[in-house]
Amino acid sequence: MKKKVAIVGASGYSGEELARLLLHHPHVELTAVTSRQYAGQTVARVFPKFAHHPGAKTLRFTEPDTELLAKQTEIVFLALPHGVAAEYAVPLLQLGRQVIDLSADFRVKSAAVYKEFYAHDHPAPELLGTAVYGLPEIYRAHIRNASLVASPGCYPTSILLPTIPLLRDGLIKPTGIIANSLSGVSGAGRTVKLDYLFVECNESVRPYGFPKHRHLSEIEQELSLAAGEQVTIQFTPHLIPVNRGILTTLYLAPAKHFADSTAMNELAEKISACYQNAYGNEPFVRLIEDEALPDTKNVIGTNVIEMAWRLDPRTGRLMVMSAEDNLLKGASGQAVQSLNIMCGFPETAGLL
Amino acid sequence: MKKKVAIVGASGYSGEELARLLLHHPHVELTAVTSRQYAGQTVARVFPKFAHHPGAKTLRFTEPDTELLAKQTEIVFLALPHGVAAEYAVPLLQLGRQVIDLSADFRVKSAAVYKEFYAHDHPAPELLGTAVYGLPEIYRAHIRNASLVASPGCYPTSILLPTIPLLRDGLIKPTGIIANSLSGVSGAGRTVKLDYLFVECNESVRPYGFPKHRHLSEIEQELSLAAGEQVTIQFTPHLIPVNRGILTTLYLAPAKHFADSTAMNELAEKISACYQNAYGNEPFVRLIEDEALPDTKNVIGTNVIEMAWRLDPRTGRLMVMSAEDNLLKGASGQAVQSLNIMCGFPETAGLL
Amino acid sequence: MKKKVAIVGASGYSGEELARLLLHHPHVELTAVTSRQYAGQTVARVFPKFAHHPGAKTLRFTEPDTELLAKQTEIVFLALPHGVAAEYAVPLLQLGRQVIDLSADFRVKSAAVYKEFYAHDHPAPELLGTAVYGLPEIYRAHIRNASLVASPGCYPTSILLPTIPLLRDGLIKPTGIIANSLSGVSGAGRTVKLDYLFVECNESVRPYGFPKHRHLSEIEQELSLAAGEQVTIQFTPHLIPVNRGILTTLYLAPAKHFADSTAMNELAEKISACYQNAYGNEPFVRLIEDEALPDTKNVIGTNVIEMAWRLDPRTGRLMVMSAEDNLLKGASGQAVQSLNIMCGFPETAGLL
Amino acid sequence: MKKKVAIVGASGYSGEELARLLLHHPHVELTAVTSRQYAGQTVARVFPKFAHHPGAKTLRFTEPDTELLAKQTEIVFLALPHGVAAEYAVPLLQLGRQVIDLSADFRVKSAAVYKEFYAHDHPAPELLGTAVYGLPEIYRAHIRNASLVASPGCYPTSILLPTIPLLRDGLIKPTGIIANSLSGVSGAGRTVKLDYLFVECNESVRPYGFPKHRHLSEIEQELSLAAGEQVTIQFTPHLIPVNRGILTTLYLAPAKHFADSTAMNELAEKISACYQNAYGNEPFVRLIEDEALPDTKNVIGTNVIEMAWRLDPRTGRLMVMSAEDNLLKGASGQAVQSLNIMCGFPETAGLL
């Protein structure tokens, strides 16, 4: 018996990927997709990229209606802007449905932090306590029983997965962390703005969102939890001319200075063990252990984040690099991973 | 003594290129640039690409004012949408100024054809008789004495220059001409539309503007003049993921069928002579006479159109391919070339 | 019980795609992949793009050995250069295995034509009579019982599928056909040549392979069979800066001239019916019947070819445009489609 | 009277740009270009991008011959690989010619450091003392009288210009400097390697050259000179899919911690004054002082480096970002800037 799911707000790039994943998922039936803009049209027509899927030819977009959604589905994905997602989450939860929210609305635990970063009052602060941050490799057990999963953002995923195990194991200092991130243009969503025109992005690379990007709220919350103390990081996003992919280069300080190559080798073994312990059996984390370095082209179209690290004896620093597809492991793929956990499906179902 | 010139409507990609060319031109002083959107700002600020030019730091955009422009300048470039350009051309000409118009407003000689293709009445039909079509290699003598130059569009230039000499010399049939054109995204202007977003254009190629693109009006007018009879062509533009450049592949039928290799060689000699005769001394037409084929990367950033041709003994067809920078030889460079002719400057001044 | 299959020569872009498809195929077990270059390494290491697939972690490349392959598998895919594929096909067929060849070796039925286009003697002319041209939409019945399938090239697929039904139904003239094709750079294979460097391809578009591309041999063979007479076409490939995708624009002459809009509408109905009849139920042919036009971004990553057509009342011509992924419908996807037919699997198995 | 100059080794991307600049330079005559590969061919044929320049049509590549070069020219540019440049520099200097070397051969002052980073003995250690590091904004006075200019690399320029004034003025700590750099693919030269194929670079971003890139030798030498003590930095280059451009993001620690917004404003004023003092009158340094951030598309095709900086009150860090064209300000443009200084030409001659 397939699980009935719906997507509210499936008109952006993440929503499109989510629809594609759910249509192809072996244990799921996508029973509703909503979009004010596309109401009445088939999924096949709106998203020609998977128009050949039989389900896409018959499924039609509808106006969002929470009561109807509650009747049609057991789990609802919200692919909406922040501030709007809560409007749907509240009634759907009241009607006993599970919600996986891809917006930022339920990622931070503090309404004050939300207001600081998103510049408006939190629309449903009473839910912040029950929401689970949907990073499966870190919160799998909590996701299993969650009614509301706040699926992480693309930048946070690329920063948190490499950093949390090191902080938890005390291998790096919680101070001085720098995350230099490079994102493809789909990260900006299907936003019709001069900045995202082809001619403005092609043959261009530029930093932006400086210095206090909204994603810092969830990144620092999660790093602080891992470190057991308040963590403040430096985060610089850059826009590069690719459709998809995030490459993050992390500059970290080992907790203990390594004075010679013996100490460096000991530290290297600890780091290797830390990552093996954290991710050695994870289906969607690829630990590169040879001379290769992460490359977004290796993960685009997959739910995989790949990671490599290096100790630099010249500077005493640890560098970790990660690559992921911002629309999959950074958004829709990860949300489906949470779905699989919530439903007891194999975690890789629909994601291999 | 430098010639004083102005640009009206310098906020798009063509206007930007034009401003760059004119600031660097050795015999010209750019005395005014107008833009409602940017009025009050310096050229350096609006166009950081040439902000290091001393002139860009002091010259400020102003609101367009034809009386003032007439006082400040001798020649005015109009880089405005069709339908709007005429509003400025009429008073500037009345005030005795010369006008080089980059829009489509004065390219066709018939107000009826204009209305057929642009879907509104021509705003100044009385000027259609005096405007000179600004294709220097074809109309140099007329441009020299023109008060109003209608600078050709990017697609027309890429089609007309390879075709007109062959038609004039009777080497090809005026029927059955096919022009398959590929254009970079800057050809759509600085247009903020979903279709031109990076993610929608990158890793994409598509035909569009089908089957009756507006540029057909000027293309067929000029081909008909060259052929001495009415010419109707097939023209298919495609959008490709490059910033700049047009590659046109022309499928032509030789006037006389060549039955064997001797006939083919004779025809080849005639075509070669025709092109040498037409363009052998042209500074901005590169006739490729070895085994190479046109490539937009060879002409981007220049005012050059490069051309190669092949006779196909299997099909009896003549194919001609051309490559140009749509913003230079296809727009602003060509307009400056006309300026040079009108002013008696060396034709390559500011364009090498 | 899964079908055991192997890939010989899986080190190029097509081989990589094929390995990916077969690893994910529900009814297939990929038991061997060979590559002299990569022998001994796991598929996961050589192709990090699908290293997360459990099968990729254990399967290792081996040296090619036809006897061993015959023991390990029932069907063997050959992803080898032309001239080399026959070396493997002959012994594998003798040992009773089925072969799906992605090279050009068995696509033409005449050894003389092969020699004319490939400049060497055919290595196994005795097999030319038994090979089936693996275009499922045209030769499904033959593929079902084939021992040797010659899977078509990327350009041929993009040209043949739009054209064959029109020729068969006598709706277009078999003369004067023009195919203007644009291909992504992966079409050149993983070829380390100056021409294919990023800097030489990016911000560039160029024609090449002129005027007698090797693919003409199979294209004209198949068009001639459809027309019932010898067909010679004009085919111009161009290289555009995308990884994947072919966009072909076909210029065709209707068999009967349409003099007015009534005649045009009648013809349009016939064309529509012809395509519906040919492809209305095909899972991998998308007939665009609204105002949209093909766009490679809609088919990249899928086994779909999308097509649209237009009658031009100005020129009397019929234009058909197609878009496909050169590595999937143009190569590996189509080969798996043939596999599905040969094995009696649902034709979309592993390809949705 | 024009200065006679030559280029030895003009076949790569930097050599091509250099040839273009020198052909267009108002005070220079390019009398010789050498290339073993292209000897005998015209510059116009080898570099179609500026084939329309009259000089390119007549100038032919020759085999490199230092005696002949010494007769033909007063100043010689070397655009050769490291290790090879010295072979030409030594005899040319002995023959009394001035040399501007674009390779790394004379950038470091210590033969031991050279060997450490380039893995072979320095070919002409006796010249290291006389070579001037050709960063005009820093060493203008020395360049004026130099016989041998070692023109800096692309990454070093992007890092040194933003950092040196801050170190000289004691505004930042010399420890803990991090430079995260993104480079277009032309930075790898016209190198025919799998890694630089279009399909391998497009839709990809990746770090490389890790952790001890050769350019560190000159970067740390110059930073140490500015700081008055040994400086070791963290430098991570990344490859991004653009033809040209380097974007460097620098993470710096202010020398004095700023505890509140008053202290921050004071520091900000000092930084602003430091940069104004260093570069306020520099023609090729653009200090962005409004809310904009550097973007490579604003500097491509120019000799400009643009810079912006931000103090982050959350982390106490100073961040500086720079953008330049790796082939111009990062290579050939900067070399011409040195030429202008050496010859007493206006420094912007041929570079505006």
Side-chain angles (χ1 to χ4, degrees):
Chain A
M1 178 80 178
K2 293 192 170 188
K3 202 84 174 177
K4 290 182 177 171
V5 304
I7 307 170
V8 177
S11 60
Y13 295 131
S14 296
E16 180 178 4
E17 277 299 284
L18 193 52
R20 187 179 65 79
L21 290 172
L22 294 173
L23 277 173
H24 289 81
H25 196 292
H27 307 310
V28 153
E29 185 189 354
L30 181 60
T31 56
V33 289
T34 80
S35 158
R36 292 223 158 80
Q37 182 183 359
Y38 297 127
Q41 299 186 41
T42 63
V43 169
R45 183 172 169 116
V46 173
F47 297 134
K49 287 176 200 178
F50 43 96
H52 55 295
H53 190 284
K57 292 176 189 164
T58 51
L59 186 65
R60 283 180 190 277
F61 281 87
T62 57
E63 296 278 342
D65 173 336
T66 49
E67 297 218 359
L68 191 57
L69 285 166
K71 278 183 202 150
Q72 295 168 321
T73 63
E74 296 158 274
I75 302 187
V76 178
F77 290 86
L78 304 179
L80 294 162
H82 63 85
V84 182
E87 286 178 34
Y88 294 86
V90 173
L92 285 165
L93 289 165
Q94 283 171 343
L95 291 161
R97 297 296 164 262
Q98 288 172 294
V99 171
I100 300 176
D101 178 20
L102 280 81
S103 88
D105 272 6
F106 300 102
R107 292 180 194 157
V108 292
K109 305 199 176 313
S110 151
V113 169
Y114 183 89
K115 189 171 183 180
E116 180 191 346
F117 280 86
Y118 292 91
H120 59 83
D121 285 325
H122 194 283
E126 69 282 7
L127 289 175
L128 291 178
T130 61
V132 172
Y133 193 68
L135 205 50
E137 290 78 9
I138 307 299
Y139 294 114
R140 184 170 285 117
H142 301 80
I143 294 167
R144 196 164 287 132
N145 305 303
S147 55
L148 171 57
V149 167
S151 210
C154 50
Y155 286 125
T157 301
S158 81
I159 294 168
L160 294 174
L161 287 177
T163 316
I164 286 175
L166 300 172
L167 281 175
R168 284 189 172 173
D169 287 7
L171 290 173
I172 57 167
K173 293 183 189 156
T175 53
I177 295 174
I178 293 174
N180 191 95
S181 293
L182 316 177
S183 172
V185 187
S186 66
R190 198 176 259 137
T191 312
V192 183
K193 261 184 70 177
L194 180 66
D195 282 357
Y196 306 126
L197 288 187
F198 182 83
V199 177
E200 302 297 323
C201 293
N202 187 39
E203 289 297 293
S204 158
V205 55
R206 52 187 195 257
Y208 73 97
F210 204 66
K212 201 176 165 185
H213 191 281
R214 283 168 167 171
H215 280 175
L216 275 170
S217 54
E218 57 186 285
I219 295 168
E220 295 183 348
Q221 165 184 284
E222 295 301 317
L223 293 182
S224 301
L225 287 168
E229 62 180 270
Q230 179 60 37
V231 173
T232 302
I233 73 160
Q234 192 80 53
F235 166 53
T236 323
H238 299 73
L239 197 67
I240 56 168
V242 298
N243 279 0
R244 290 170 166 218
I246 285 184
L247 192 289
T248 289
T249 301
L250 289 152
Y251 299 90
L252 307 170
K256 245 178 74 183
H257 182 64
F258 52 94
D260 54 25
S261 66
T262 311
M264 187 169 113
N265 290 340
E266 271 174 37
L267 179 56
E269 274 170 40
K270 282 185 189 163
I271 294 166
S272 180
C274 167
Y275 278 138
Q276 275 300 334
N277 189 40
Y279 301 133
N281 294 315
E282 285 295 340
F284 296 120
V285 181
R286 177 158 60 238
L287 300 169
I288 301 178
E289 304 228 306
D290 56 20
E291 75 290 347
L293 290 171
D295 185 333
T296 55
K297 72 168 173 273
N298 292 339
V299 294
I300 288 170
T302 79
N303 194 46
V304 171
I305 181 167
E306 66 173 21
M307 295 167 36
W309 56 271
R310 295 288 187 279
L311 284 168
D312 186 346
R314 301 174 73 256
T315 63
R317 233 181 239 106
L318 168 63
M319 302 187 51
V320 192
M321 287 135 291
S322 72
E324 67 174 23
D325 184 327
N326 57 303
L327 296 180
L328 289 169
K329 186 60 182 166
S332 303
Q334 184 146 268
V336 171
Q337 198 180 345
S338 281
L339 172 85
N340 287 340
I341 295 166
M342 293 162 84
C343 297
F345 302 145
E347 196 162 322
T348 58
L351 290 172
L352 271 193
Chain B
M1 178 78 178
K2 292 192 170 186
K3 202 82 173 179
K4 291 182 176 168
V5 305
I7 307 171
V8 178
S11 60
Y13 294 131
S14 295
E16 181 178 3
E17 276 300 284
L18 193 53
R20 187 180 64 79
L21 290 172
L22 293 173
L23 276 174
H24 289 82
H25 197 291
H27 307 309
V28 153
E29 186 188 356
L30 181 60
T31 55
V33 288
T34 81
S35 157
R36 292 224 159 80
Q37 181 183 1
Y38 296 127
Q41 298 186 43
T42 62
V43 169
R45 185 174 166 115
V46 174
F47 298 134
K49 288 178 201 176
F50 44 96
H52 56 294
H53 190 283
K57 292 174 190 165
T58 51
L59 186 65
R60 282 180 189 277
F61 281 88
T62 57
E63 296 278 342
D65 173 334
T66 48
E67 297 219 359
L68 190 59
L69 284 165
K71 277 181 200 149
Q72 294 168 321
T73 64
E74 296 158 272
I75 302 187
V76 179
F77 290 86
L78 305 180
L80 295 162
H82 63 84
V84 181
E87 286 177 35
Y88 294 86
V90 173
L92 285 165
L93 288 164
Q94 282 170 344
L95 291 162
R97 297 296 165 262
Q98 288 172 293
V99 171
I100 300 176
D101 178 20
L102 280 80
S103 87
D105 272 5
F106 300 103
R107 294 181 193 155
V108 292
K109 305 201 177 311
S110 151
V113 168
Y114 183 89
K115 189 171 182 180
E116 179 191 345
F117 280 86
Y118 291 90
H120 58 85
D121 285 326
H122 194 281
E126 69 282 6
L127 288 176
L128 291 178
T130 62
V132 172
Y133 193 68
L135 204 50
E137 291 77 9
I138 307 298
Y139 293 113
R140 184 170 285 117
H142 300 81
I143 293 168
R144 196 165 287 132
N145 304 304
S147 55
L148 171 58
V149 167
S151 211
C154 49
Y155 285 124
T157 301
S158 80
I159 294 167
L160 294 174
L161 287 177
T163 316
I164 286 175
L166 300 172
L167 281 174
R168 283 190 173 173
D169 288 9
L171 289 173
I172 56 167
K173 291 183 190 157
T175 53
I177 295 172
I178 294 174
N180 192 96
S181 293
L182 316 177
S183 172
V185 187
S186 67
R190 198 177 257 137
T191 310
V192 183
K193 261 184 72 176
L194 181 67
D195 282 357
Y196 306 126
L197 288 187
F198 182 83
V199 178
E200 303 296 324
C201 293
N202 186 39
E203 289 296 294
S204 157
V205 54
R206 53 186 195 257
Y208 73 99
F210 204 67
K212 200 175 165 185
H213 191 282
R214 282 168 169 171
H215 279 176
L216 275 170
S217 55
E218 57 185 287
I219 295 168
E220 293 183 347
Q221 167 183 284
E222 294 302 318
L223 293 181
S224 300
L225 286 168
E229 63 181 89
Q230 180 60 36
V231 174
T232 302
I233 74 160
Q234 191 81 52
F235 166 53
T236 323
H238 300 72
L239 198 67
I240 56 168
V242 298
N243 280 359
R244 290 172 167 216
I246 285 184
L247 191 291
T248 288
T249 301
L250 288 152
Y251 298 89
L252 307 170
K256 246 179 75 183
H257 182 63
F258 52 94
D260 54 26
S261 67
T262 311
M264 187 168 113
N265 289 341
E266 270 173 38
L267 179 55
E269 273 169 42
K270 282 184 190 164
I271 294 166
S272 180
C274 167
Y275 277 138
Q276 275 300 333
N277 189 42
Y279 302 132
N281 294 315
E282 285 295 339
F284 296 120
V285 181
R286 178 159 59 239
L287 300 168
I288 301 177
E289 305 229 305
D290 57 20
E291 75 290 350
L293 291 171
D295 185 332
T296 55
K297 73 168 174 275
N298 292 338
V299 294
I300 286 169
T302 80
N303 194 47
V304 171
I305 182 168
E306 65 175 20
M307 294 167 36
W309 56 272
R310 294 288 187 279
L311 284 168
D312 187 346
R314 301 174 73 256
T315 63
R317 233 182 239 105
L318 168 63
M319 303 186 51
V320 192
M321 288 136 291
S322 72
E324 67 174 24
D325 184 327
N326 56 304
L327 296 180
L328 288 169
K329 186 60 181 167
S332 303
Q334 184 146 270
V336 171
Q337 196 180 346
S338 280
L339 172 86
N340 287 341
I341 295 167
M342 292 161 84
C343 297
F345 303 145
E347 197 161 324
T348 59
L351 290 172
L352 269 194
Chain C
M1 180 76 180
K2 292 193 170 186
K3 202 83 174 178
K4 291 183 176 168
V5 305
I7 308 172
V8 177
S11 60
Y13 294 132
S14 296
E16 181 177 4
E17 277 300 284
L18 192 54
R20 188 180 64 79
L21 290 172
L22 294 174
L23 277 173
H24 289 81
H25 196 291
H27 307 309
V28 152
E29 185 189 355
L30 182 59
T31 55
V33 289
T34 81
S35 158
R36 293 224 158 80
Q37 182 183 0
Y38 296 128
Q41 298 186 42
T42 63
V43 169
R45 183 171 169 117
V46 174
F47 297 135
K49 287 177 200 176
F50 45 96
H52 55 296
H53 190 285
K57 292 175 191 166
T58 51
L59 187 64
R60 282 181 190 276
F61 280 88
T62 57
E63 295 279 342
D65 173 334
T66 48
E67 296 217 1
L68 190 58
L69 285 165
K71 279 181 201 151
Q72 294 168 321
T73 63
E74 296 158 273
I75 302 188
V76 178
F77 290 86
L78 305 180
L80 295 162
H82 63 85
V84 181
E87 287 177 34
Y88 294 87
V90 173
L92 285 165
L93 288 165
Q94 282 170 343
L95 291 161
R97 296 297 164 262
Q98 287 172 293
V99 171
I100 301 176
D101 179 20
L102 281 80
S103 87
D105 272 6
F106 300 102
R107 294 181 192 155
V108 292
K109 304 198 177 312
S110 150
V113 168
Y114 184 89
K115 188 170 183 181
E116 178 191 347
F117 280 86
Y118 290 90
H120 59 83
D121 285 325
H122 194 283
E126 70 281 6
L127 289 176
L128 291 178
T130 61
V132 172
Y133 193 68
L135 205 49
E137 291 77 8
I138 307 299
Y139 293 113
R140 185 171 284 117
H142 301 80
I143 294 167
R144 196 164 287 133
N145 304 304
S147 54
L148 171 57
V149 168
S151 211
C154 50
Y155 285 124
T157 302
S158 81
I159 294 168
L160 294 174
L161 287 177
T163 315
I164 286 175
L166 300 173
L167 281 175
R168 283 189 173 174
D169 288 8
L171 288 173
I172 56 167
K173 291 182 190 157
T175 54
I177 295 174
I178 293 173
N180 192 94
S181 292
L182 316 176
S183 172
V185 187
S186 66
R190 199 176 257 136
T191 311
V192 182
K193 261 184 72 177
L194 181 67
D195 282 357
Y196 305 126
L197 289 186
F198 183 83
V199 177
E200 302 297 322
C201 293
N202 187 40
E203 289 297 290
S204 158
V205 55
R206 53 187 194 256
Y208 73 98
F210 203 67
K212 199 175 167 186
H213 191 282
R214 282 169 169 171
H215 279 175
L216 275 170
S217 54
E218 57 185 286
I219 295 168
E220 295 183 348
Q221 166 184 285
E222 295 302 316
L223 294 181
S224 300
L225 286 168
E229 63 180 271
Q230 179 59 37
V231 173
T232 302
I233 74 159
Q234 191 81 55
F235 166 53
T236 324
H238 299 71
L239 197 68
I240 57 169
V242 298
N243 280 359
R244 290 172 168 217
I246 285 184
L247 191 291
T248 289
T249 302
L250 288 152
Y251 298 90
L252 306 170
K256 244 177 78 183
H257 183 63
F258 53 94
D260 54 25
S261 66
T262 310
M264 185 168 114
N265 290 341
E266 272 174 36
L267 178 56
E269 275 170 39
K270 283 184 190 164
I271 295 166
S272 180
C274 167
Y275 278 138
Q276 276 300 333
N277 189 42
Y279 301 132
N281 294 316
E282 285 295 338
F284 296 119
V285 181
R286 178 158 61 240
L287 300 168
I288 302 178
E289 304 230 304
D290 58 20
E291 75 289 349
L293 290 171
D295 185 332
T296 54
K297 73 168 175 275
N298 292 338
V299 293
I300 288 170
T302 80
N303 194 47
V304 171
I305 182 168
E306 66 174 20
M307 295 167 35
W309 56 271
R310 294 289 187 277
L311 285 168
D312 186 347
R314 299 173 75 257
T315 62
R317 233 183 240 104
L318 168 63
M319 301 186 53
V320 192
M321 287 137 291
S322 72
E324 66 174 23
D325 184 328
N326 56 304
L327 296 180
L328 289 169
K329 186 60 181 165
S332 303
Q334 184 145 270
V336 171
Q337 197 180 346
S338 281
L339 172 85
N340 288 341
I341 295 168
M342 292 161 84
C343 298
F345 303 145
E347 195 161 324
T348 58
L351 291 172
L352 270 192
Chain D
M1 178 78 178
K2 295 192 169 187
K3 202 84 173 178
K4 290 182 176 170
V5 304
I7 308 171
V8 177
S11 59
Y13 294 132
S14 296
E16 181 178 5
E17 276 301 283
L18 193 53
R20 187 181 63 80
L21 290 172
L22 294 173
L23 277 174
H24 289 81
H25 196 292
H27 307 309
V28 153
E29 185 189 354
L30 181 60
T31 55
V33 289
T34 81
S35 157
R36 292 225 159 81
Q37 183 183 0
Y38 297 127
Q41 298 186 42
T42 63
V43 170
R45 181 169 171 119
V46 174
F47 297 135
K49 288 177 198 177
F50 43 96
H52 56 294
H53 190 285
K57 292 176 190 164
T58 51
L59 187 63
R60 283 181 188 275
F61 280 89
T62 57
E63 296 278 342
D65 173 335
T66 49
E67 296 217 1
L68 189 59
L69 285 166
K71 278 181 201 149
Q72 293 168 323
T73 64
E74 296 158 273
I75 302 188
V76 178
F77 290 86
L78 305 179
L80 294 162
H82 63 85
V84 181
E87 287 178 34
Y88 294 87
V90 174
L92 286 165
L93 289 165
Q94 282 171 344
L95 291 162
R97 297 297 165 262
Q98 288 173 292
V99 171
I100 301 176
D101 178 20
L102 280 81
S103 87
D105 273 5
F106 301 102
R107 293 180 193 156
V108 293
K109 304 199 179 309
S110 153
V113 168
Y114 183 90
K115 188 170 183 181
E116 179 192 346
F117 280 86
Y118 291 90
H120 59 83
D121 285 325
H122 194 283
E126 69 282 6
L127 289 176
L128 291 178
T130 61
V132 173
Y133 194 67
L135 206 49
E137 291 78 8
I138 307 298
Y139 293 113
R140 185 170 284 117
H142 301 80
I143 293 168
R144 196 165 287 132
N145 304 304
S147 55
L148 172 57
V149 167
S151 212
C154 50
Y155 285 124
T157 302
S158 81
I159 294 168
L160 294 174
L161 287 177
T163 315
I164 286 175
L166 301 172
L167 281 175
R168 284 189 173 173
D169 287 8
L171 290 172
I172 56 167
K173 292 182 190 155
T175 53
I177 295 174
I178 293 174
N180 192 94
S181 293
L182 316 176
S183 173
V185 186
S186 66
R190 199 176 258 136
T191 311
V192 182
K193 260 184 72 177
L194 180 68
D195 281 357
Y196 305 126
L197 289 187
F198 182 83
V199 177
E200 302 297 323
C201 293
N202 187 40
E203 289 297 292
S204 158
V205 55
R206 53 187 195 255
Y208 73 98
F210 204 67
K212 200 174 165 185
H213 191 281
R214 283 169 168 171
H215 280 175
L216 275 170
S217 54
E218 58 186 285
I219 295 168
E220 294 183 348
Q221 166 183 284
E222 295 302 317
L223 294 181
S224 300
L225 286 168
E229 63 180 90
Q230 179 59 36
V231 174
T232 302
I233 74 159
Q234 192 81 53
F235 165 53
T236 323
H238 300 72
L239 197 68
I240 56 169
V242 299
N243 280 0
R244 289 172 166 216
I246 285 184
L247 192 290
T248 289
T249 301
L250 289 152
Y251 299 89
L252 307 170
K256 246 178 75 182
H257 182 63
F258 53 94
D260 54 25
S261 66
T262 310
M264 185 167 114
N265 290 340
E266 271 174 37
L267 178 55
E269 274 170 40
K270 282 184 191 164
I271 294 165
S272 181
C274 167
Y275 278 138
Q276 275 301 331
N277 189 42
Y279 302 133
N281 294 315
E282 286 295 339
F284 296 119
V285 181
R286 177 158 62 238
L287 300 168
I288 301 178
E289 304 229 305
D290 56 20
E291 75 290 347
L293 290 171
D295 185 333
T296 54
K297 73 168 174 273
N298 292 339
V299 294
I300 286 170
T302 80
N303 194 47
V304 171
I305 182 168
E306 66 175 19
M307 295 167 37
W309 56 271
R310 296 288 188 276
L311 285 168
D312 187 346
R314 301 174 73 256
T315 62
R317 232 182 240 106
L318 168 62
M319 301 185 53
V320 192
M321 288 136 291
S322 71
E324 67 175 23
D325 184 327
N326 56 303
L327 297 181
L328 289 169
K329 187 60 182 165
S332 302
Q334 184 146 269
V336 171
Q337 197 180 346
S338 281
L339 172 86
N340 288 340
I341 295 167
M342 292 161 84
C343 297
F345 302 145
E347 196 162 324
T348 58
L351 290 172
L352 270 192

